[in-house]
Amino acid sequence: MTATAAPQVLMPGAYPEWDMAPMQAQYTLHRLWEAPDRQAFIAEHAPGIRAVATRGELGASGELIAALPNLELVACYGVGTDGIDLAACRARGIRVTNTPDVLNGDVADLAVGLTLALQRRIPASDAFVRSGAWAQGPMALATRVFGQRVGIAGFGRIGSTIARRLSGFDMELAYFSRTPKADSPLRHFASLPAMADWCDVLIVILPGGEATRGIVDAEVLTALGPRGWLVNVSRGTTVDEGALLQALEGRRIAGAALDVFLNEPRIDPRFAALDNVVLHPHHGSGTEETRRAMGALVRRNLEAHFAGRPLVTPVP
Ligand code: 8YV
């Protein structure tokens, strides 16, 4: 009897060690991030590769998918699949999985935390105390959070979790989505500029991708206005970054708290020069608890696929 060879899995980037160890025990892993010549590495291993285990920000491009003739599954560590060429997968019957739900609470917590940090100027206050400036006089006043109007752009699993969190803050809440949610009592806006005009704080948690590219544009920022605040925990692509930088520099919006940017991790240096921003390194799901749950879900999907069982969290 011959032993069945372990399925071959290509990894564009590493997972935490607590995932790498069990994956290594089950699969033959091809570590693309360690390859000095990526093209040559892919060409060498392509015929045997049956799955790609990627991360949200690394995705799987059409070019990569085309180079893997026997690919069956793309498993994503992350809920957003905007980095994966889904059309190319669909065209070849390649299945895709992601890690929904397990990160809702963390991303929602961060949206709330960034809102508080921005308006109450928590990072600036920390710097103020550390620098000794406090001894020279009191900190400048901040902005009251409770009682404000918050517009949540995107009302899926995470957006509705943000609303639940904020319902404890005595705030007036509304959301923007293509279609109103029958099960939500909150005010619905079908127009993003209209909601930006209505709200004090605009929290963006729309999926990335072509449909939402630059949706927070100059018109939305103008509607938000000089007393309006932007919090983005979605994707850098949802915001017209040039328009945002101009609005922040010209004080045409009050400020922004951003977990996501274009060109991460080498973001536009103009952000670092601003005093009306709170900057965060794309870490909405970045707690050990949630990352463990995400890794476990990726592994369960891989196992299900290779055992011929239904996928746990397939992307439709
Ligand atoms: C994770 C994310 O941060 O879940 C998502 O969509 O934002 C992800 O980008 C990332 O996949 C962790 O590597």
Side-chain angles (χ1 to χ4, degrees), residues 121 152 191 314:
R121 308 190 65 216
I152 303 171
S191 150

Side-chain angles (χ1 to χ4, degrees), residues 18 49 88 95 169 180 190 221 223 244 276 283 292 305:
W18 54 70
I49 290 167
R95 310 294 307 277
F169 275 83
L221 296 169
L244 174 62
N276 51 354
H283 228 215
R292 282 188 184 273
H305 175 75

Side-chain angles (χ1 to χ4, degrees), residues 98-179:
N98 63 347
T99 59
D101 291 319
V102 292
L103 44 65
N104 297 349
D106 267 358
V107 180
D109 285 352
L110 186 72
V112 175
L114 287 177
T115 303
L116 294 171
L118 179 65
Q119 298 197 295
R120 297 304 305 267
R121 308 190 65 216
I122 295 172
S125 302
D126 178 87
F128 182 78
V129 174
R130 284 172 197 272
S131 71
W134 194 10
Q136 271 74 62
M139 173 82 189
L141 298 179
T143 299
R144 175 188 275 183
V145 175
F146 75 86
Q148 296 198 46
R149 288 176 166 180
V150 182
I152 303 171
F155 209 61
R157 301 177 182 95
I158 305 175
S160 53
T161 308
I162 294 172
R164 216 172 58 234
R165 296 278 193 279
L166 288 177
S167 65
F169 275 83
D170 300 325
M171 298 175 108
E172 209 180 326
L173 303 177
Y175 66 98
F176 159 78
S177 65
R178 266 176 313 194
T179 46

Side-chain angles (χ1 to χ4, degrees), residues 14 54-58 76-82 99 103 107 158 233-235 259-260 264 282-286 291 294:
T54 188
R55 303 199 311 246
E57 72 275 27
L58 300 173
C76 181
Y77 179 93
V79 68
T81 51
D82 48 305
T99 59
L103 44 65
V107 180
I158 305 175
V233 287
S234 62
R235 285 290 184 265
D259 183 46
V260 287
E264 296 169 9
H282 194 151
H283 228 215
S285 63
R291 289 291 167 85
M294 288 163 63

